[in-house]
Amino acid sequence: MNQLGKNAWAYAWFTAPALLVFALFFLTPMGMALRYGFTSWNGVSAPVYNGLANFRMAFGDPYFWIAVRNNLLFILFAVGLQIPLILILALFVSRVRRWMSLYQTLIFTPTILSTAVIGVLWGFIYHPQAGMLNHVWEAVGLPSWKRVWLGNEATAMPAVLIANAWQWIGFYVILVTASIRAIPRPVLEAAELDGAGNWRQAWHMIVPLLRPVLVVMVLLSVTGGMKALDIVVVMTGGNPYGITEVMGSYMLKKAYRLGEYGYASSIAILILLFTGVLTAAFGQLVRRREEVDW
């Protein structure tokens, strides 16, 4: 083992396959996007360099800014609503003593389904005639609440956000539950002896101890919100009238429907830049908070 650790060639052989896959499926597409993002190219003829024209077009494109807004909605929905709900569910699940494995399996099941399956499933739920949701409203005597959920400008985006949250909430619940169970039992017992009830233990003991996990959850929510694509493509395709478009789906539409590959490549570059800026800003905020706490 010591000889293996000192042999640089051994490391090279073991990491070469992973590096090859990384270069093939990440670095190469990124390089192509950087190349064609500064050109006018329809995917067939030779690309023509046009400088920053694609980026000026994007900043002046109202549909692009709708897509940016929707990506931010994914992030805000996850951070503002999804994460608090995850904490509440995890606190309840962590106190379960019987059938723990069953509850965890049921909660985690949506996560192992593909996004295409999730989109089709929730598309049936939201269906205006055959959908379960409208039938529920009618059954409880609220027929006025029935909607064309994915075809209404006011409800289409919230419907997509709820479906996306349902898919991933189980993963985070299991993550937080495992972190809660890893908290040393004497810490919570000491708080209980001091008269702290369940609510005070959760707010003053458990949540502060979960801070590293919460930071990871927020970071994953930021990057996941900026990468949102498949759930939108499956459920709405960006409709109605582009109201549910995100940057990824708008990029695909420009490239594969309209043949504007150069413009689509510039949008890909902007997705990378926006994600990097948001991630760096969040990292800086976390570091400053840690310095203040210290």
Side-chain angles (χ1 to χ4, degrees), residues 134-142:
N134 280 344
H135 282 293
V136 169
W137 295 134
E138 189 170 2
V140 298
L142 296 171

Side-chain angles (χ1 to χ4, degrees), residues 10-95:
Y11 285 111
W13 279 111
F14 279 113
T15 57
L19 292 175
L20 179 61
V21 172
F22 179 76
L24 184 62
F25 293 102
F26 182 79
L27 294 180
T28 301
M30 182 184 295
M32 295 177 65
L34 290 172
R35 175 188 176 188
Y36 294 119
F38 298 91
T39 66
S40 176
W41 185 46
N42 61 8
V44 179
S45 60
V48 178
Y49 177 76
N50 62 359
L52 298 176
N54 290 334
F55 298 93
R56 288 194 294 267
M57 186 187 305
F59 290 137
D61 185 351
Y63 289 102
F64 172 75
W65 289 111
I66 290 175
V68 173
R69 180 202 65 187
N70 289 336
N71 281 103
L72 295 177
L73 283 177
F74 268 93
I75 297 173
L76 293 175
F77 188 87
V79 175
L81 295 176
Q82 189 174 332
I83 290 180
L85 178 60
I86 288 167
L87 284 174
I88 294 172
L89 290 175
L91 288 169
F92 278 113
V93 172
S94 65
R95 293 183 177 276

Side-chain angles (χ1 to χ4, degrees), residues 2-278:
N2 291 334
Q3 292 180 352
L4 179 64
K6 297 178 181 178
N7 191 341
W9 284 107
Y11 285 111
W13 279 111
F14 279 113
T15 57
L19 292 175
L20 179 61
V21 172
F22 179 76
L24 184 62
F25 293 102
F26 182 79
L27 294 180
T28 301
M30 182 184 295
M32 295 177 65
L34 290 172
R35 175 188 176 188
Y36 294 119
F38 298 91
T39 66
S40 176
W41 185 46
N42 61 8
V44 179
S45 60
V48 178
Y49 177 76
N50 62 359
L52 298 176
N54 290 334
F55 298 93
R56 288 194 294 267
M57 186 187 305
F59 290 137
D61 185 351
Y63 289 102
F64 172 75
W65 289 111
I66 290 175
V68 173
R69 180 202 65 187
N70 289 336
N71 281 103
L72 295 177
L73 283 177
F74 268 93
I75 297 173
L76 293 175
F77 188 87
V79 175
L81 295 176
Q82 189 174 332
I83 290 180
L85 178 60
I86 288 167
L87 284 174
I88 294 172
L89 290 175
L91 288 169
F92 278 113
V93 172
S94 65
R95 293 183 177 276
V96 172
R97 294 294 178 263
R98 299 183 62 184
W99 308 103
M100 179 69 172
S101 298
L102 175 62
Y103 295 139
Q104 289 181 331
T105 301
L106 292 175
I107 292 173
F108 191 74
T109 297
T111 304
I112 64 176
L113 300 177
S114 70
T115 306
V117 173
I118 298 294
V120 173
L121 174 63
W122 279 88
F124 280 124
I125 293 174
Y126 291 132
H127 194 277
Q129 281 82 40
M132 183 185 71
L133 185 56
N134 280 344
H135 282 293
V136 169
W137 295 134
E138 189 170 2
V140 298
L142 296 171
S144 61
W145 288 26
K146 294 169 64 175
R147 297 287 187 277
V148 182
W149 298 98
L150 297 178
N152 189 308
E153 295 182 20
T155 59
M157 196 63 206
V160 173
L161 293 174
I162 290 172
N164 183 73
W166 183 79
Q167 179 182 11
W168 295 110
I169 199 169
F171 169 78
Y172 293 112
V173 168
I174 299 301
L175 178 65
V176 177
T177 301
S179 301
I180 293 174
R181 288 184 169 272
I183 296 175
R185 194 64 196 168
V187 174
L188 299 180
E189 291 175 351
E192 189 173 352
L193 290 174
D194 289 338
N198 292 336
W199 168 251
R200 294 186 64 186
Q201 287 184 40
W203 184 250
H204 295 287
M205 299 292 297
I206 296 177
V207 172
L209 291 172
L210 292 177
R211 182 176 176 180
V213 179
L214 295 177
V215 170
V216 172
M217 289 170 59
V218 173
L219 183 59
L220 290 176
S221 298
V222 171
T223 56
M226 293 304 296
K227 294 188 300 181
L229 167 63
D230 39 9
I231 191 72
V232 173
V233 172
V234 174
M235 292 188 67
T236 66
N239 295 314
Y241 314 114
I243 295 300
T244 60
E245 206 82 76
V246 291
M247 285 190 283
S249 64
Y250 193 55
M251 175 188 69
L252 288 180
K253 182 177 292 185
K254 285 294 183 180
Y256 296 108
R257 293 188 185 179
L258 302 177
E260 300 177 16
Y261 287 91
Y263 186 37
S265 297
S266 67
I267 294 176
I269 296 172
L270 290 174
I271 293 174
L272 178 64
L273 291 176
F274 288 174
T275 305
V277 169
L278 288 175

